[in-house]
Amino acid sequence: MNVLKAGARAFLHLFGLPAALLALWWFFAARSDSFYYPTLNEILSAFGETWFSSRIVDDVLPSLWRLAVGYLGAVVLGVTLGVLLGSHRQLRALLEPVLEFFRAIPPPVLIPVLMLFSGIGDSMKITVIIVGSVWPVMLNTVEGVRAIDDVLADTARCYGITGAARLRRLVLPAASPQIVAGMRQALSISIILMVISEMFASSSGLGFAIVQFQRSFAIPEMWSGILLLGLLGFALSLLFGLLESRVLHWHRGLRQSQKGEK
Amino acid sequence: MTLQPRRAGPPPAPHPRSRTRTGALPEPLLGLLGLVLLAGVLEVLPRTGVVSADYLPPFSEIADALVGVAGEESFWQALLDTAEGWGYGLAIAVGVGTGLGLLIGSVEVLRRATASTIEFLRPIPSVALVPLAVLVYGTGLESTLLLVVYAAVWPVLLQMLAGVRDVDPVARDTAASYRFTRWARLRHVTWPTALPYLMTGVRLSASVALILAISSQLIIGSPGIGKEIALAQSSNAVEEMYALVIVTGALGVCVNVAARALERRVLAWHTSVRTEAVT
Amino acid sequence: MTSTDVKSAVRADSGLLDVRGVQKTYYGSGRTVEAVRDLTFSVGTGELACIVGPSGAGKTTLLKCIAGLLPPTGGEVRLGGARVQGPPPGMAVVFQEYGRSLFPWMTVADNIALPLKQKRTPKPRRAALVAEALESVGLRDVPHAYPWQLSGGMQQRVAIARAIAYEPDVLLMDEPFAAVDAQTRAELEDLTRSLWRNLGMTVLFVTHDIDEAVYLGQRVLVLSGSPTVVMEDVAVDLPAEREQLSTRALPRFAELRAHVYEQVQRAKTFHTAPAAGASA
């Protein structure tokens, strides 16, 4: 009985508020005649019609492709630069103000700049995503590499763990909590840049499609696009959470055991 | 040799870091040198034709354009508009995030009931709301505010939730046993614990807000630096565009430095330097 | 158990540790600190020598110089006749901070196997060494646990297992038991002695605990305060079979302890010249 009760409560906690919000939307959209807020029915039917069509190939997949390439590029570049900068103090001192400046540039303003170099094709969008998302990965990696425990580093040296093995066995795992935190920040920046770069200059993609709908006053379709972006963000965040718990399970355990000791 | 001592170990006071004894420059000077080198590279690349000057004008010309832009009143108006969108947006986001965070964080039922909704809403990219903002508010300040607030409220809210959760149970029990009023508990127990988290949230939000403010100007065309960049781009005023990009970078640096200074000031009394809550 | 095949691979003098005139000065920003002034001693193959000295005596600095982790400013360290210029292959180190010297992202078995992998020990041999090492430190049951799941004493056992699986000629131990409780400490002391007697490697054991030094060592080297020199080299003429209660109850143990204690006391005020590094 108690199990049932607890289960019911958990269910209520999980779905209660979302259901209430949806009901509210349903209620108000049905009563208001505002053109801008279509009913849920309309949005959902538009969702099916709009996205389960040739748009998957024309808009959704290109967007996802740009996002994937750009994001992975940013992660690889960010970790590489971060490890380099993190392990060379002089280099870091030389580049710190420069990097501080580049990091502070709001990434979307790079879109017009990069358009000069590579037009409005995929390569521009991918470059925008890389250039904009590389910073959190890089800076977090630098912090992670700098914070490597010196006893651990000495241990590795004593046992001849140097060069590539040191990178793989010591530096990357030791910095992984910070790297993953940076990757999480980079993921949301990547999505934003994917959408913005498509909104600003494109002939395909999610951002492009949504702006098209808005300009042609296809309101339910526009909402369905917003919904799709929301679902995409949510799904990627979920996926990332899975990756995180796999990669960092040792870190969570370590932290819990340290907390227990205090 | 970049290893930082994390804990005070038993070994002797002198730090066992082998100093580079090459008569190297002190670090601030080295950083300055880095900036000068960057300017030099930006000057040389187009001059030698490695990069076409059509795409990347020499640094000196960008600097000229910057001086020119700074002489125009419209630039300062745009700067003011950007600051306005950023400032109001951030203020609203911090207010809403703090309030909601305190409320949801202190009431267990609310915390549980909202968890799934927050988990769902948070990763929605704020720029998805661009078309909605345009439809409803047009190209005015309100559009910018909608996007800025939506994006900037999350860091504050999440940090606040983490902060309220971090309240020491012993302190809470003590306060309860002395029959503190609800207000006094909030004021003397919850708030001081959550403040460092809040400051971290504010710092993160400040830079997110700037990004969104300028993005919305760029895409929607609400007045501000972002719009000026879009205008410069469409009229092919390349030097001017670069100059404005540099301005946004400088703005970003100012925001970051100010946010960190504020954080340090507010938390001067706080013994532990907080790391960001992993959320 | 493994002593025979370990020894057979080892040259007669490969465990000979020679410290000649080692001096270490730190150059900080604006100040220089002479941590170790002039240290000369040697530890023969298969010997167990303890180093004691007042805290802040540069023991850790010395150990890092011997381990090849820090280049000495003057003098040299030789292991088996070859000059130490980086961490030498035949040497293993056990640090005091067990929690920070095990890789938290690897299981116990992986922690022990990693240095062997690095040495390109073939896989079957590696597995055997890991199992043997765990067995000999009494941790047969935990190869798949993570270090942070173990108690402090067990973690230090893992660190010791890693060191002996490496089959070193010389084992350096830097105050290895300073951070564990008294009961565990006694157990680990006995473990150290039995491992040493079984495996026949040279052991250099640094500690600030006089009792521990006398109980464990064949010799005790007493260091002065910083800048450090060797004040005395005490031979410990206790029977080779040692036992926590009976050995410590021997009159000779008390004498040796009193002698070393006096030396350490004297060491604290040994240098009347103004010490540059007195800031600690």
Side-chain angles (χ1 to χ4, degrees):
Chain A
M1 277 307 272
N2 274 335
V3 176
L4 268 182
K5 230 178 190 175
R9 191 172 298 155
F11 184 83
L12 205 66
H13 283 147
L14 210 55
F15 296 107
L17 184 61
L21 289 175
L22 285 178
L24 265 181
W25 179 287
W26 200 286
F27 181 72
F28 280 108
R31 283 176 44 128
S32 94
D33 43 3
S34 168
F35 180 60
Y36 296 146
Y37 301 102
T39 61
L40 274 183
N41 265 345
E42 288 174 288
I43 295 178
L44 288 179
S45 68
F47 190 92
E49 280 164 30
T50 311
W51 301 109
F52 296 120
S53 66
S54 62
R55 283 201 185 272
I56 288 193
V57 180
D58 295 342
D59 291 318
V60 181
L61 288 182
S63 282
L64 289 179
W65 163 248
R66 291 163 197 151
L67 179 66
V69 176
Y71 178 64
L72 292 179
V75 169
V76 170
L77 188 67
V79 170
T80 311
L81 291 176
V83 168
L84 270 178
L85 283 170
S87 25
H88 296 90
R89 200 158 56 98
Q90 300 273 325
L91 188 65
R92 195 165 61 238
L94 181 71
L95 294 183
E96 198 154 12
V98 174
L99 296 176
E100 185 78 10
F101 176 76
F102 275 107
R103 176 178 75 122
I105 297 178
V109 309
L110 299 171
I111 296 171
V113 173
L114 291 170
M115 273 170 67
L116 287 174
F117 289 91
S118 47
I120 63 167
D122 276 0
S123 61
M124 179 276 277
K125 286 163 195 129
I126 291 171
T127 318
V128 166
I129 295 175
I130 293 180
V131 174
S133 326
V134 74
W135 307 108
V137 181
M138 188 185 83
L139 294 167
N140 275 282
T141 308
V142 169
E143 288 313 308
V145 171
R146 287 183 61 184
I148 291 177
D149 194 291
D150 40 2
V151 174
L152 208 54
D154 278 351
T155 306
R157 267 187 78 196
C158 285
Y159 288 114
I161 299 160
T162 53
R166 183 175 191 274
L167 185 68
R168 190 166 148 229
R169 307 286 185 186
L170 173 69
V171 176
L172 291 180
S176 62
Q178 284 93 336
I179 293 178
V180 169
M183 281 170 64
R184 189 178 262 285
Q185 288 175 33
L187 181 62
S188 44
I189 297 181
S190 289
I191 300 176
I192 289 178
L193 289 177
M194 171 196 87
V195 177
I196 293 187
S197 66
E198 290 169 354
M199 283 178 171
F200 194 78
S202 189
S203 53
S204 71
L206 276 170
F208 168 75
I210 295 178
V211 169
Q212 281 300 97
F213 292 140
Q214 175 241 315
R215 291 199 179 133
S216 56
F217 290 95
I219 303 303
E221 285 79 3
M222 180 195 89
W223 273 104
S224 79
I226 295 177
L227 183 64
L228 181 63
L229 276 179
L231 288 173
L232 179 68
F234 180 66
L236 288 176
S237 154
L238 219 58
L239 213 63
F240 194 89
L242 285 179
L243 174 99
E244 191 174 8
S245 63
R246 268 192 77 95
V247 175
L248 294 185
H249 78 106
W250 65 268
H251 186 242
R252 192 160 310 154
L254 178 67
R255 276 173 43 137
Q256 268 163 9
S257 76
Q258 282 170 344
K259 253 186 209 164
E261 270 168 31
K262 274 176 205 163
Chain B
M1 295 275 110
T2 60
L3 302 169
Q4 294 273 314
R6 282 207 307 191
R7 275 155 276 197
H15 198 258
R17 168 194 285 174
S18 56
R19 293 284 294 198
T20 36
R21 261 165 287 153
T22 49
L25 291 166
E27 293 188 2
L29 268 184
L30 215 53
L32 205 64
L33 179 70
L35 285 174
V36 173
L37 278 180
L38 174 70
V41 168
L42 288 182
E43 182 74 29
V44 168
L45 283 183
R47 294 244 181 248
T48 53
V50 177
V51 178
S52 163
D54 292 342
Y55 301 156
L56 178 68
F59 183 74
S60 52
E61 286 175 27
I62 297 176
D64 273 352
L66 189 59
V67 174
V69 165
E72 290 166 30
E73 203 177 320
S74 62
F75 167 75
W76 295 102
Q77 185 56 47
L79 201 60
L80 201 66
D81 288 334
T82 303
E84 225 171 47
W86 171 78
Y88 288 149
L90 183 62
I92 297 173
V94 169
V96 171
T98 310
L100 274 181
L102 276 178
L103 181 69
I104 296 175
S106 341
V107 184
E108 186 59 27
V109 178
L110 279 182
R111 185 196 280 275
R112 283 169 191 245
T114 54
S116 63
T117 310
I118 290 178
E119 260 323 284
F120 181 75
L121 289 180
R122 183 174 63 108
I124 295 180
S126 49
V127 286
L129 302 179
V130 162
L132 181 68
V134 175
L135 275 185
V136 181
Y137 296 118
T139 58
L141 177 64
E142 294 93 337
S143 281
T144 306
L145 285 183
L146 175 71
L147 297 177
V148 170
V149 170
Y150 186 84
V153 82
W154 298 111
V156 178
L157 176 60
L158 291 172
Q159 286 291 323
M160 208 56 204
L161 286 177
V164 175
R165 170 172 283 182
D166 195 39
V167 168
D168 190 343
V170 179
R172 195 180 327 177
D173 293 348
T174 311
S177 73
Y178 281 106
R179 301 175 154 274
F180 275 32
T181 60
R182 187 170 268 273
W183 167 250
R185 250 182 292 170
L186 195 67
R187 172 77 188 77
H188 297 293
V189 181
T190 308
W191 180 253
T193 312
L195 190 59
Y197 288 89
L198 174 62
M199 294 321 293
T200 305
V202 170
R203 176 163 57 78
L204 296 174
S205 284
S207 61
V208 169
L210 184 69
I211 293 177
L212 263 294
I214 290 180
S215 305
S216 80
Q217 295 157 4
L218 191 70
I219 308 169
I220 302 176
S222 44
I225 298 282
K227 184 184 179 186
E228 300 294 311
I229 291 179
L231 285 178
Q233 188 256 341
S234 56
S235 61
N236 212 19
V238 178
E239 292 88 356
E240 208 168 291
M241 186 178 80
Y242 273 100
L244 289 168
V245 168
I246 289 180
V247 170
T248 63
L251 264 181
V253 171
C254 290
V255 167
N256 291 344
V257 169
R260 260 177 262 161
L262 179 75
E263 191 177 12
R264 219 168 302 139
R265 216 189 142 86
V266 172
L267 301 184
W269 54 272
H270 211 271
T271 46
S272 69
V273 180
R274 287 266 162 224
T275 51
E276 272 146 51
V278 181
T279 44
Chain C
M1 327 151 270
T2 59
S3 59
T4 48
D5 51 303
V6 171
K7 268 180 182 166
S8 62
V10 165
R11 286 203 324 276
D13 64 342
S14 62
L16 176 69
L17 184 68
D18 229 344
V19 177
R20 296 181 187 166
V22 163
Q23 192 242 339
K24 179 70 191 176
T25 307
Y26 291 108
Y27 297 93
S29 42
R31 61 173 197 160
T32 57
V33 177
E34 188 184 19
V36 174
R37 176 162 288 172
D38 179 15
L39 273 177
T40 301
F41 62 87
S42 66
V43 184
T45 303
E47 225 183 335
L48 198 174
C50 291
I51 291 184
V52 283
S55 51
K59 296 190 292 279
T60 296
T61 301
L62 169 66
L63 194 111
K64 283 192 169 177
C65 288
I66 296 175
L69 293 169
L70 273 180
T73 317
E76 59 175 10
V77 176
R78 284 178 175 273
L79 173 63
R83 186 172 182 164
V84 170
Q85 277 165 325
M91 189 182 276
V93 184
V94 174
F95 293 96
Q96 176 189 335
E97 302 94 338
Y98 49 82
R100 295 162 60 195
S101 83
L102 296 171
F103 296 86
W105 46 86
M106 288 181 193
T107 60
V108 164
D110 288 341
N111 260 289
I112 300 172
L114 179 60
L116 303 176
K117 223 180 260 177
Q118 205 54 31
K119 264 209 303 197
R120 303 196 187 287
T121 308
K123 206 170 182 180
R125 172 90 180 119
R126 207 156 72 205
L129 280 170
V130 171
E132 249 170 54
L134 277 172
E135 174 87 44
S136 60
V137 298
L139 286 181
R140 200 180 347 164
D141 303 331
V142 297
H144 302 301
Y146 284 89
W148 36 266
Q149 292 171 323
L150 307 177
S151 70
M154 284 163 94
Q155 289 184 32
Q156 194 59 296
R157 280 172 195 264
V158 175
I160 294 172
R162 178 171 62 186
I164 58 173
Y166 196 59
E167 301 184 300
D169 301 323
V170 175
L171 176 61
L172 301 181
M173 304 182 87
D174 183 13
E175 305 209 19
F177 313 138
V180 297
D181 61 83
Q183 177 62 39
T184 311
R185 182 177 191 143
E187 286 167 13
L188 289 174
E189 284 167 5
D190 291 335
L191 174 68
T192 305
R193 264 201 74 95
S194 74
L195 287 173
W196 164 69
R197 295 187 69 189
N198 288 334
L199 303 178
M201 66 216 157
T202 311
V203 178
L204 187 61
F205 191 103
V206 175
T207 178
H208 64 262
D209 182 328
I210 294 159
D211 277 52
E212 186 171 74
V214 174
Y215 178 72
L216 279 179
Q218 293 179 301
R219 282 163 67 198
V220 175
L221 296 159
V222 183
L223 300 187
S224 71
S226 184
T228 311
V229 298
V230 177
M231 291 199 27
E232 203 186 339
D233 187 342
V234 183
V236 179
D237 45 5
L238 292 171
E241 287 299 335
R242 297 189 190 172
E243 199 273 327
Q244 289 287 351
L245 286 179
S246 59
T247 304
R248 287 177 195 264
L250 292 173
R252 182 61 187 148
F253 183 87
E255 281 170 36
L256 283 166
R257 194 184 60 176
H259 179 72
V260 173
Y261 182 79
E262 273 165 31
Q263 291 296 315
V264 171
Q265 288 305 314
R266 206 161 68 83
K268 288 180 183 166
T269 54
F270 183 71
H271 291 286
T272 43
S279 60

